[in-house]
Amino acid sequence: MEGTGKLGQGFEHRDENATRVPVHQQVYAQLRDAVLFGELAPGQAVTIQGLIERTGAGMTPIREAIRRLTSEGALEFRGNRRVVVPMLTVDAIDDLIFLRETVESRLAAHAAKKITTADIAALEKIDAQVDEAITRGDVSAYLRQNFAFHAKLYAVANAPVLMDVANSVWLRFGPSMRVVCGRMGTQNLPDNHKTALDALKAKNAQETADAMREDVVQGMEQIREALLDGTAFSDTID
Amino acid sequence: MEGTGKLGQGFEHRDENATRVPVHQQVYAQLRDAVLFGELAPGQAVTIQGLIERTGAGMTPIREAIRRLTSEGALEFRGNRRVVVPMLTVDAIDDLIFLRETVESRLAAHAAKKITTADIAALEKIDAQVDEAITRGDVSAYLRQNFAFHAKLYAVANAPVLMDVANSVWLRFGPSMRVVCGRMGTQNLPDNHKTALDALKAKNAQETADAMREDVVQGMEQIREALLDGTAFSDTID
DNA sequence: GCCACAAAAATATGATCAAATTCTGATTAG
DNA sequence: CTAATCAGAATTTGATCATATTTTTGTGGC
């Protein structure tokens, strides 16, 4: 996705049976990933004109994508029609930890009741890639695979409302997570996925919820400490 | 706001010092209220063309408003470019109850720590109007004033992340709430606001949280029972 | 019941207008 | 004489609309 530039290349012939993805959704997905995986730094400005050049799309679909991301908390309206990637405050991170702890453990419990062997296999495959990214020290891959693991669990839980909240939380701490990982590398990162997988196999909702809560809290606390420390975010724009 | 039709009438001269409100925000606010206070029934379709006629606005701002409401859970994408007011399922209402209970009590606790005497006065004034609406049997006024009470509490709490979640939850049960109230009238509606106000005056976070939790759960359970009963929603579209 | 055609609605683009930021240069205080 | 500040011009950016294109839906003939 990085550096490809324009959208829609290679899809000029439309008599294929491939389902057409609307431009506004493509822009949304691209911008969402950019925020989620830290390609945009906290405080960085996001302009409509810039996205027009970057994506080659028209103005309307870009506006739609920005509105969507804004109400999901990925972007922030800064008064004078300026849109930026929000910067985390300590107050905000406390609420995010609380939310993620609460929502993610409930999602995990739901998932434990509905999970199939195929789902477990998929989760194990993703978790193996998480491990690989950690040993390789590949921050970007870790962020993507770790998200994929949690996202898969949300999908299994099949609870749209909770999933929306969880995704919004991810979008809000994503940029800071990247900054923290960039500083610390991948060594101290949490991975309680194995415990969760064992609990999932046993279809034990309570244990699954506890394992995921542990995983979540560990990760979020690292961001919180970096925020309190302050040095990690000294280079961000304002 | 009802029945006024076109937007932006009477604002042709722009040398006033009145701050200009963008059209997409006006459309958003209008549509948001329509969902929140049950002017649109669950399952009802929302079309771009319809809104163009209804509001007199152009296409782009309407699209933006719809995208925003969609990611806030007030509207739902139904496959073939069709947007509808979502219908609540029993699974969804359970998650909404859980979320509102959790988030609203935390917001209440935050508010208790920061509240001023002016805020308390404002809350008491709103609560008086809630009482008046109940005795008058005015469902529409009850819905608006009750929301105003909670919204004021959110504003005092000053926790943007939690407030976004709470507002999203409101948008998701709003339409069904209206259906339920339309059936039952205003007599059996909960109002634990007095207890909450006492706790707020004492700046007791725990008691405030408990009072609000009680208020919230009572209201949500009524929707849940109506959903299980099923008769209340038999006339909705789909 | 199925396919073709017509009408309606949604997506996407570019043009136009308005507002805000930035840039420039001059004036003035230290 | 240098540096800071402010006014106004120029550029950039956002908001809105009108229009073209594509997709879906609805209808009538076979």
Side-chain angles (χ1 to χ4, degrees), chain B residues 37-227:
Chain B
F37 303 126
E39 288 160 40
L40 300 172
Q44 185 166 344
V46 173
T47 69
I48 294 176
Q49 294 297 330
L51 286 174
I52 288 177
E53 290 178 27
R54 197 163 118 72
T55 64
M59 191 170 288
T60 312
I62 285 178
R63 297 188 128 251
E64 293 180 66
I66 288 181
R67 294 289 171 241
R68 227 179 126 180
L69 269 319
T70 301
S71 47
E72 287 171 12
L75 300 175
E76 190 183 48
F77 244 57
R78 262 293 213 355
N80 302 337
R81 314 150 130 203
R82 198 138 241 166
V83 175
V84 301
V85 180
M87 300 188 64
L88 272 190
T89 63
V90 177
D91 284 350
I93 192 75
D94 284 341
D95 286 338
L96 286 176
I97 294 174
F98 168 78
L99 265 183
R100 194 142 115 86
E101 199 180 333
T102 309
V103 170
E104 185 122 1
S105 56
R106 179 168 243 245
L107 276 164
H110 281 187
K113 291 170 196 154
K114 300 180 182 173
I115 200 155
T116 67
T117 49
D119 293 327
I120 291 176
L123 282 170
E124 284 181 326
K125 188 175 173 186
I126 297 171
D127 191 43
Q129 293 179 282
V130 173
D131 290 342
E132 191 197 313
I134 290 178
T135 55
R136 225 177 14 183
D138 187 338
V139 171
S140 194
Y142 167 78
L143 291 173
R144 281 169 198 275
Q145 296 303 328
N146 185 48
F147 175 72
F149 185 90
H150 290 261
K152 173 65 182 172
L153 207 61
Y154 302 161
V156 172
N158 192 30
V161 182
L162 297 176
M163 190 173 78
D164 283 357
V165 175
N167 280 327
S168 176
V169 171
W170 274 89
L171 284 169
R172 290 177 204 258
F173 73 73
S176 300
M177 183 80 176
R178 174 56 184 245
V179 175
V180 171
C181 289
R183 291 236 148 200
M184 305 199 322
T186 56
Q187 289 316 311
N188 293 11
L189 289 170
D191 184 355
N192 298 57
H193 298 172
K194 310 279 178 302
T195 322
L197 278 166
D198 287 342
L200 282 167
K201 283 175 197 163
K203 292 199 177 240
N204 185 326
Q206 185 63 51
E207 279 182 20
T208 309
D210 290 343
M212 292 312 290
R213 188 199 311 271
E214 182 71 13
D215 184 63
V216 158
V217 171
Q218 280 182 23
M220 300 298 279
E221 283 296 340
Q222 297 212 338
I223 301 176
R224 186 172 195 280
E225 279 163 32
L227 253 185

Side-chain angles (χ1 to χ4, degrees), chain A residues 8-19:
Chain A
Q9 312 288 57
F11 291 104
E12 304 311 321
H13 42 287
R14 54 186 54 78
D15 46 355
E16 305 257 352
N17 58 3
T19 324

